[in-house]
Amino acid sequence: MKLDRPVTGGPCWTELGTSDPEAAKRFYADLFGWRPETDTRQETGCYTVAHIGDAAVAGLAPLHQESQPVAWNVSFAVADADAAVAAVETAGGTVTLAPTDVLDQGRFAVAFDPGGAAFQLWQARSFPGAGLFNAPGALGWVELLTRAPDRVTEFYTTVFDWTVNASEHYTQWGVDGADFGGMVTMDDKFPHEVPSHWLPYFAVENVDATADAALLAGGHLLMEPMSVPHGPRIAVVRDAQGAAFGIHQES
Protein backbone atom coordinates (compact mmCIF):
# COMPACT_ATOMS: atom_id res chain seq x y z
CA MET A 1 0.00 0.00 0.00
CA LYS A 2 1.43 3.33 -1.04
CA LEU A 3 -0.84 5.22 1.36
CA ASP A 4 0.64 5.85 4.81
CA ARG A 5 -2.29 7.70 6.38
CA PRO A 6 -6.06 8.02 5.87
CA VAL A 7 -6.89 10.04 2.75
CA THR A 8 -10.27 10.81 1.22
CA GLY A 9 -11.35 7.88 -0.92
CA GLY A 10 -8.80 5.46 0.52
CA PRO A 11 -9.11 2.75 3.17
CA CYS A 12 -8.89 4.28 6.61
CA TRP A 13 -9.93 1.51 8.99
CA THR A 14 -10.75 -2.17 9.25
CA GLU A 15 -12.87 -3.80 11.91
CA LEU A 16 -13.89 -7.31 12.86
CA GLY A 17 -17.44 -8.31 13.73
CA THR A 18 -17.06 -11.47 15.78
CA SER A 19 -19.11 -13.96 17.75
CA ASP A 20 -16.43 -14.21 20.47
CA PRO A 21 -14.66 -10.90 21.13
CA GLU A 22 -12.54 -12.23 23.98
CA ALA A 23 -11.21 -15.13 21.90
CA ALA A 24 -10.57 -12.74 19.00
CA LYS A 25 -8.60 -10.39 21.23
CA ARG A 26 -6.36 -13.26 22.32
CA PHE A 27 -5.92 -14.62 18.80
CA TYR A 28 -4.90 -11.35 17.19
CA ALA A 29 -2.81 -10.22 20.14
CA ASP A 30 -0.82 -13.46 19.84
CA LEU A 31 -0.61 -13.20 16.05
CA PHE A 32 0.15 -9.51 15.54
CA GLY A 33 1.16 -8.24 18.97
CA TRP A 34 -1.93 -6.06 19.23
CA ARG A 35 -2.78 -4.34 22.48
CA PRO A 36 -6.60 -4.29 22.72
CA GLU A 37 -8.46 -1.57 24.64
CA THR A 38 -12.21 -2.09 25.13
CA ASP A 39 -14.60 0.76 25.86
CA THR A 40 -17.17 -0.82 28.18
CA ARG A 41 -19.66 2.05 27.99
CA GLN A 42 -23.05 0.86 26.78
CA GLU A 43 -23.24 3.50 24.07
CA THR A 44 -20.05 2.14 22.44
CA GLY A 45 -21.32 -1.44 22.19
CA CYS A 46 -18.18 -2.69 23.97
CA TYR A 47 -16.06 -1.69 20.98
CA THR A 48 -12.39 -2.66 21.13
CA VAL A 49 -9.59 -0.71 19.46
CA ALA A 50 -6.39 -2.65 18.84
CA HIS A 51 -3.09 -0.79 19.07
CA ILE A 52 0.50 -1.27 18.06
CA GLY A 53 2.41 0.97 20.39
CA ASP A 54 0.27 4.09 20.64
CA ALA A 55 -1.20 3.75 17.14
CA ALA A 56 -4.75 2.46 16.59
CA VAL A 57 -4.68 -0.20 13.87
CA ALA A 58 -8.03 -2.07 13.86
CA GLY A 59 -11.37 -2.49 15.62
CA LEU A 60 -13.16 -5.51 17.08
CA ALA A 61 -16.85 -5.57 17.92
CA PRO A 62 -19.43 -8.16 19.01
CA LEU A 63 -22.14 -9.10 16.54
CA HIS A 64 -25.27 -7.00 17.00
CA GLN A 65 -27.70 -9.05 14.88
CA GLU A 66 -28.17 -12.77 14.33
CA SER A 67 -27.95 -12.23 10.57
CA GLN A 68 -24.62 -10.39 10.82
CA PRO A 69 -21.76 -12.55 9.51
CA VAL A 70 -18.49 -13.03 11.34
CA ALA A 71 -16.22 -11.03 9.06
CA TRP A 72 -13.62 -8.32 8.64
CA ASN A 73 -14.95 -5.08 7.16
CA VAL A 74 -13.14 -2.24 5.41
CA SER A 75 -13.96 1.45 5.83
CA PHE A 76 -13.18 4.14 3.25
CA ALA A 77 -12.66 7.77 4.19
CA VAL A 78 -15.13 10.32 2.84
CA ALA A 79 -15.42 14.06 3.33
CA ASP A 80 -19.21 13.94 3.70
CA ALA A 81 -20.98 10.68 4.57
CA ASP A 82 -24.39 11.93 3.48
CA ALA A 83 -23.11 12.98 0.07
CA ALA A 84 -21.21 9.69 -0.23
CA VAL A 85 -24.29 7.51 0.37
CA ALA A 86 -26.18 9.55 -2.22
CA ALA A 87 -23.37 8.83 -4.68
CA VAL A 88 -23.46 5.13 -3.76
CA GLU A 89 -27.18 4.88 -4.48
CA THR A 90 -26.93 6.85 -7.70
CA ALA A 91 -24.15 4.54 -8.92
CA GLY A 92 -26.19 1.41 -8.23
CA GLY A 93 -25.12 0.47 -4.72
CA THR A 94 -27.34 -0.17 -1.71
CA VAL A 95 -27.12 1.61 1.64
CA THR A 96 -28.01 -0.65 4.57
CA LEU A 97 -27.10 1.75 7.39
CA ALA A 98 -27.75 5.44 6.81
CA PRO A 99 -25.13 7.91 8.06
CA THR A 100 -24.99 7.76 11.84
CA ASP A 101 -22.95 9.79 14.33
CA VAL A 102 -20.48 7.80 16.42
CA LEU A 103 -20.14 9.96 19.53
CA ASP A 104 -17.72 12.78 18.60
CA GLN A 105 -15.48 10.49 16.56
CA GLY A 106 -17.11 10.61 13.16
CA ARG A 107 -20.04 9.74 10.96
CA PHE A 108 -20.51 6.18 9.73
CA ALA A 109 -22.52 4.33 7.06
CA VAL A 110 -22.67 0.81 5.60
CA ALA A 111 -23.32 -0.04 1.97
CA PHE A 112 -23.12 -2.82 -0.61
CA ASP A 113 -21.66 -2.45 -4.07
CA PRO A 114 -23.60 -3.75 -7.12
CA GLY A 115 -21.72 -7.05 -6.89
CA GLY A 116 -22.87 -7.66 -3.32
CA ALA A 117 -19.72 -6.76 -1.35
CA ALA A 118 -20.23 -4.81 1.86
CA PHE A 119 -18.10 -1.80 2.71
CA GLN A 120 -18.21 1.09 5.15
CA LEU A 121 -17.94 4.86 4.86
CA TRP A 122 -16.23 6.97 7.49
CA GLN A 123 -16.43 10.75 7.80
CA ALA A 124 -13.79 11.59 10.38
CA ARG A 125 -14.18 14.03 13.21
CA SER A 126 -12.01 13.37 16.26
CA PHE A 127 -10.97 9.91 15.00
CA PRO A 128 -9.33 9.90 11.55
CA GLY A 129 -8.85 6.14 11.33
CA ALA A 130 -5.78 3.95 11.57
CA GLY A 131 -2.66 5.62 12.87
CA LEU A 132 -0.28 3.16 11.24
CA PHE A 133 -0.13 1.45 7.84
CA ASN A 134 2.25 -1.03 6.21
CA ALA A 135 4.10 -1.88 9.44
CA PRO A 136 3.97 -5.42 10.88
CA GLY A 137 0.49 -5.98 12.32
CA ALA A 138 -1.01 -2.97 10.54
CA LEU A 139 -3.23 -2.75 7.49
CA GLY A 140 -1.16 -3.02 4.33
CA TRP A 141 -3.60 -3.78 1.46
CA VAL A 142 -7.31 -4.29 0.78
CA GLU A 143 -8.66 -6.62 -1.87
CA LEU A 144 -12.11 -6.92 -3.41
CA LEU A 145 -13.24 -10.40 -4.40
CA THR A 146 -16.16 -10.09 -6.79
CA ARG A 147 -18.16 -11.88 -9.47
CA ALA A 148 -19.00 -8.62 -11.27
CA PRO A 149 -15.63 -6.99 -12.03
CA ASP A 150 -16.76 -4.66 -14.80
CA ARG A 151 -19.80 -3.41 -12.92
CA VAL A 152 -17.97 -2.76 -9.65
CA THR A 153 -15.04 -1.08 -11.40
CA GLU A 154 -17.49 1.42 -12.85
CA PHE A 155 -19.15 1.78 -9.44
CA TYR A 156 -16.05 2.46 -7.34
CA THR A 157 -14.42 4.77 -9.86
CA THR A 158 -17.66 6.75 -9.96
CA VAL A 159 -18.20 6.91 -6.19
CA PHE A 160 -14.59 7.41 -5.04
CA ASP A 161 -12.82 8.57 -8.22
CA TRP A 162 -10.26 5.78 -7.83
CA THR A 163 -7.49 5.30 -10.33
CA VAL A 164 -7.31 1.86 -11.94
CA ASN A 165 -4.09 0.04 -12.81
CA ALA A 166 -5.25 -3.06 -14.67
CA SER A 167 -3.13 -5.90 -16.04
CA GLU A 168 -4.10 -9.23 -17.57
CA HIS A 169 -4.19 -10.94 -14.18
CA TYR A 170 -4.91 -8.28 -11.57
CA THR A 171 -6.51 -4.88 -11.16
CA GLN A 172 -5.13 -2.41 -8.63
CA TRP A 173 -7.03 0.49 -7.09
CA GLY A 174 -5.48 3.81 -6.20
CA VAL A 175 -6.09 7.35 -5.03
CA ASP A 176 -4.37 9.77 -7.38
CA GLY A 177 -2.22 6.88 -8.55
CA ALA A 178 -1.16 5.73 -5.07
CA ASP A 179 -2.26 2.09 -5.06
CA PHE A 180 -3.87 0.74 -1.91
CA GLY A 181 -5.69 -2.40 -3.04
CA GLY A 182 -6.80 -4.68 -5.79
CA MET A 183 -9.54 -6.85 -7.24
CA VAL A 184 -9.85 -10.59 -7.82
CA THR A 185 -12.58 -12.05 -10.02
CA MET A 186 -14.29 -14.94 -8.25
CA ASP A 187 -14.45 -17.89 -10.64
CA ASP A 188 -15.65 -21.48 -10.24
CA LYS A 189 -12.83 -22.18 -7.76
CA PHE A 190 -14.76 -20.17 -5.18
CA PRO A 191 -17.67 -21.99 -3.51
CA HIS A 192 -21.01 -20.60 -4.67
CA GLU A 193 -22.03 -19.75 -1.09
CA VAL A 194 -19.04 -17.43 -0.58
CA PRO A 195 -20.29 -13.89 -1.23
CA SER A 196 -18.37 -11.05 -2.82
CA HIS A 197 -16.38 -9.31 -0.10
CA TRP A 198 -13.55 -7.00 0.84
CA LEU A 199 -10.51 -8.70 2.39
CA PRO A 200 -8.00 -6.75 4.49
CA TYR A 201 -4.35 -7.77 4.35
CA PHE A 202 -2.10 -7.13 7.34
CA ALA A 203 1.62 -6.62 6.89
CA VAL A 204 3.88 -9.16 8.63
CA GLU A 205 7.62 -9.72 8.83
CA ASN A 206 7.36 -13.38 7.78
CA VAL A 207 4.26 -14.82 6.11
CA ASP A 208 5.22 -18.46 6.65
CA ALA A 209 5.93 -18.00 10.35
CA THR A 210 2.73 -16.01 10.84
CA ALA A 211 0.68 -18.65 9.02
CA ASP A 212 2.16 -21.34 11.28
CA ALA A 213 1.35 -19.21 14.33
CA ALA A 214 -2.25 -18.78 13.14
CA LEU A 215 -2.66 -22.55 12.88
CA LEU A 216 -1.27 -23.06 16.37
CA ALA A 217 -3.68 -20.43 17.70
CA GLY A 218 -6.71 -22.26 16.26
CA GLY A 219 -6.97 -20.61 12.85
CA HIS A 220 -7.13 -22.22 9.41
CA LEU A 221 -5.38 -21.50 6.12
CA LEU A 222 -7.68 -20.68 3.22
CA MET A 223 -4.65 -20.07 1.00
CA GLU A 224 -1.21 -21.47 1.76
CA PRO A 225 1.72 -19.04 1.67
CA MET A 226 2.70 -18.23 -1.91
CA SER A 227 4.86 -15.68 -3.66
CA VAL A 228 3.20 -13.37 -6.18
CA PRO A 229 5.36 -12.87 -9.29
CA HIS A 230 7.13 -9.52 -8.91
CA GLY A 231 5.08 -8.96 -5.75
CA PRO A 232 4.77 -9.88 -2.09
CA ARG A 233 4.49 -13.25 -0.36
CA ILE A 234 0.92 -13.72 0.81
CA ALA A 235 -1.47 -16.09 2.57
CA VAL A 236 -5.13 -16.01 3.57
CA VAL A 237 -6.18 -17.07 7.06
CA ARG A 238 -9.52 -17.75 8.73
CA ASP A 239 -9.68 -17.21 12.48
CA ALA A 240 -11.38 -19.65 14.84
CA GLN A 241 -14.72 -17.80 14.60
CA GLY A 242 -14.68 -17.84 10.79
CA ALA A 243 -13.40 -14.37 9.75
CA ALA A 244 -11.02 -14.34 6.79
CA PHE A 245 -8.08 -11.97 6.39
CA GLY A 246 -4.86 -11.83 4.44
CA ILE A 247 -1.25 -11.47 5.47
CA HIS A 248 1.53 -10.20 3.24
CA GLN A 249 5.25 -9.75 3.33
CA GLU A 250 6.95 -7.38 0.94
CA SER A 251 9.67 -9.03 -1.10
Side-chain angles (χ1 to χ4, degrees):
M1 181 186 290
K2 295 179 181 177
L3 301 178
D4 59 4
R5 58 184 174 82
V7 300
T8 300
C12 63
W13 190 242
T14 185
E15 67 179 30
L16 172 66
T18 181
S19 57
D20 192 338
E22 293 305 316
K25 290 179 199 178
R26 294 190 296 270
F27 177 86
Y28 291 100
D30 289 344
L31 199 64
F32 295 139
W34 287 354
R35 175 176 55 82
E37 292 185 358
T38 301
D39 191 331
T40 58
R41 292 176 296 170
Q42 183 177 358
E43 60 266 34
T44 69
C46 293
Y47 195 84
T48 296
V49 175
H51 297 78
I52 294 177
D54 293 330
V57 292
L60 297 87
L63 301 181
H64 298 297
Q65 304 176 45
E66 289 186 6
S67 61
Q68 183 181 351
V70 174
W72 278 98
N73 301 289
V74 176
S75 296
F76 296 97
V78 296
D80 184 324
D82 296 83
V85 299
V88 165
E89 292 176 328
T90 299
T94 304
V95 175
T96 57
L97 177 66
T100 303
D101 290 330
V102 181
L103 304 177
D104 66 343
Q105 297 183 334
R107 196 157 168 78
F108 172 76
V110 180
F112 283 81
D113 69 27
F119 64 98
Q120 300 174 343
L121 302 167
W122 180 252
Q123 176 189 337
R125 288 174 180 158
S126 66
F127 183 73
L132 185 68
F133 292 91
N134 306 315
L139 188 65
W141 192 253
V142 296
E143 189 170 75
L144 174 65
L145 291 87
T146 182
R147 293 183 173 87
D150 293 338
R151 182 69 186 89
V152 300
T153 297
E154 179 183 1
F155 171 81
Y156 286 109
T157 54
T158 298
V159 172
F160 294 117
D161 197 28
W162 289 348
T163 54
V164 179
N165 181 9
S167 68
E168 181 181 355
H169 303 291
Y170 195 66
T171 294
Q172 295 189 173
W173 310 110
V175 174
D176 295 330
D179 292 343
F180 61 78
M183 179 174 65
V184 170
T185 299
M186 300 174 74
D187 55 22
D188 293 339
K189 297 177 183 177
F190 290 84
H192 179 73
E193 63 272 15
V194 177
S196 298
H197 60 281
W198 279 96
L199 185 74
Y201 276 76
F202 298 99
V204 297
E205 292 182 349
N206 187 301
V207 161
D208 297 77
T210 304
D212 289 342
L215 291 174
L216 289 173
H220 307 274
L221 292 184
L222 297 177
M223 186 178 73
E224 298 278 348
M226 62 169 288
S227 294
V228 177
H230 311 295
R233 189 159 177 79
I234 63 175
V236 178
V237 180
R238 184 173 62 201
D239 69 23
Q241 285 69 53
F245 61 96
I247 51 177
H248 78 117
Q249 167 194 344
E250 291 299 331
S251 57

